[in-house]
Amino acid sequence: MRRLRAVAPALLGFAAVRLLCVMVLALWDPAEDKGVVRLLSGRWDSVWYASIADEGYGRTVVADDGGVHSDLAFFPLLPWLERLISAVSPLSAGEAGLLVSAVASLAAAWALFAIGERLYGRRAGVLLAVLWAAVPVGIVQSMAYTEALFTALAAWSLYAVLTGRWLTAGLLSAATGLCRPAGLAVAAAVAAAALAVLLAERAERRAAEPAAERTAERTAGGAAGPWPWAAHRRMLAGVLLAPLGWAGYVLWVGARTGEPLGYLRVQGDWGNGFDGGWAFARFIGDRLAGGNPVAGLGLCAGVALLLWVCVRCVRMGLPLPLLVYGGVMVVLALCAAGYFGSKPRLLLPAFPLLLPAAVALAGARARVVAVVLVTAATGAALYGAVWLTGSGPP
């Protein structure tokens, strides 16, 4: 009960921002025949997840440009949950997806509070959760998409790493791998943290050895002693578990398509892939050289700001698992080929990038904090309404 009282301000603040965004969306255009529920659960990727929940895998659509789009591009955890909920309730699969996202977003906010509190104090934890609700593309947290579910699993996995609960970290990481391809970022964070522990313990043992023994060891060309595998069975088990969800689904797609790299081919058919950022650079260059240089300069400024925040995270000494997770998420977002409009959404789960702002606000006056949060929440609500009644997230 004490823990619930501690996290209550973070959850209430988070819920208030999300409610504001949904209310503004519902009131944005009363004549809009799409309706807020349809906007949140019945368009774009939400339709594919609901189709998998209702019919299973096997749907293929031929696009106007001749591209073949298969539902094998979508990972199975959200459809599984939608199917389970719709089977025991009157909710449709899409509506069940909204319920999953609502619960998962609160779980994510709790995890962000726990991480922020552990590292920088209770006020920073509350602000981290509220800032995550108020990012411009935060409306996706309220959609039948995987961002909220993925962030909840990823954040709790990272919190488990920070608190030494390795099996929990590995299991939650495996679940993220069943949710999105970016589950690899969580697995990488778990592995990096474990390796850091082993290296630190090895260095401590060497420092504790008598100088004569170290000299004899170097003369003999020996190793620094055995790795302490036996003392870290749970940690190593967590590391092995971490990538299993992602690997299991990719292997299943390979078996279903009859191609070992079938998942990559499926993603390629959607126009997705990893090209080191070349497509994104061309996208920006086309705007700079074409008829919209202002947009090109804005994109350059946005990328520069993002990279500055990454450097700030390193300089403020964020724990290694948070740095690895956030860094891999940024690389995956910026260096992936595909529809540009997806990139802000792909960055949504990269919550460690908000820690510099949360820590700065934690030391600011209450009036400054209030102005920043109200401005951010209002901007997110307006942006979300314009976005979803327009092009929307792909």
Side-chain angles (χ1 to χ4, degrees):
M1 198 65 185
R2 182 191 306 174
R3 191 61 184 160
L4 186 58
R5 285 196 299 268
V7 75
L11 297 182
L12 291 174
F14 176 87
V17 175
R18 298 282 7 104
L19 181 61
L20 171 66
C21 292
V22 173
M23 288 177 60
V24 169
L25 176 63
L27 298 173
W28 186 251
D29 185 357
E32 178 67 58
D33 61 1
K34 296 166 185 173
V36 65
V37 173
R38 183 167 181 267
L39 284 170
L40 295 175
S41 68
R43 299 177 71 192
W44 305 294
D45 291 1
S46 299
V47 175
W48 288 89
Y49 287 120
S51 172
I52 296 169
D54 289 333
E55 309 291 340
Y57 284 99
R59 181 186 177 201
T60 300
V61 173
V62 179
D64 294 338
D65 60 2
V68 179
H69 296 169
S70 168
D71 59 7
L72 293 174
F74 298 90
F75 279 55
L77 184 56
L78 177 58
W80 286 348
L81 294 174
E82 289 179 341
R83 177 180 294 182
L84 175 62
I85 293 172
S86 60
V88 298
S89 74
L91 299 177
S92 67
E95 292 166 346
L98 293 182
L99 178 60
V100 171
S101 288
V103 175
S105 64
L106 287 172
W110 192 328
L112 267 58
F113 166 80
I115 290 173
E117 180 193 39
R118 180 175 182 83
L119 297 178
Y120 300 106
R122 184 167 178 265
R123 197 177 188 202
V126 172
L127 289 167
L128 179 61
V130 177
L131 285 173
W132 187 64
V135 296
V137 294
I139 191 66
V140 178
Q141 300 165 16
S142 300
M143 297 180 68
Y145 268 49
T146 57
E147 274 71 17
L149 179 60
F150 177 85
T151 306
L153 294 168
W156 280 116
S157 177
L158 293 170
Y159 181 76
V161 171
L162 294 176
T163 54
R165 298 176 174 89
W166 293 99
L167 283 179
T168 300
L171 289 170
L172 290 173
S173 175
T176 66
L178 288 172
C179 191
R180 295 178 63 83
L184 281 179
V186 188
V190 174
L195 180 60
V197 169
L198 293 175
L199 290 174
E201 291 195 358
R202 190 180 191 189
E204 289 176 4
R205 292 201 318 276
R206 285 183 60 82
E209 291 175 358
E213 290 185 13
R214 292 200 300 273
T215 301
E217 184 179 88
R218 284 195 298 270
T219 302
W227 290 92
W229 304 118
H232 293 294
R233 285 190 293 268
R234 296 174 72 86
M235 182 178 74
L236 297 174
V239 171
L240 293 175
L241 285 169
L244 290 187
W246 179 90
Y249 181 70
V250 169
L251 290 173
W252 179 80
V253 172
R256 178 153 179 151
T257 59
E259 308 171 43
L261 300 179
Y263 177 76
L264 298 180
R265 195 262 303 160
V266 168
Q267 284 286 4
D269 289 342
W270 278 84
N272 299 324
F274 190 87
D275 64 356
W278 176 241
F280 186 34
R282 287 204 323 267
F283 181 86
I284 296 175
D286 289 344
R287 273 134 194 85
L288 289 173
N292 199 353
V294 174
L297 291 173
L299 290 171
C300 291
V303 173
L305 176 61
L306 179 62
L307 297 178
W308 178 83
V309 171
C310 292
V311 172
R312 187 74 187 92
C313 289
V314 174
R315 289 183 174 177
M316 69 187 291
L318 288 189
L320 180 64
L322 294 183
L323 290 176
V324 171
Y325 169 74
V328 174
M329 292 297 295
V330 169
V331 170
L332 291 176
L334 295 185
C335 297
Y339 181 58
F340 164 74
S342 297
K343 294 190 182 297
R345 178 171 64 85
L346 296 177
L347 285 169
L348 182 60
F351 66 87
L353 301 179
L354 295 172
L355 273 167
V359 173
L361 284 176
R365 295 180 180 179
R367 181 177 297 178
V368 174
V369 174
V371 170
V372 170
L373 293 183
V374 169
T375 302
T378 303
L382 295 174
Y383 182 85
V386 172
W387 197 32
L388 288 198
T389 55
S391 62

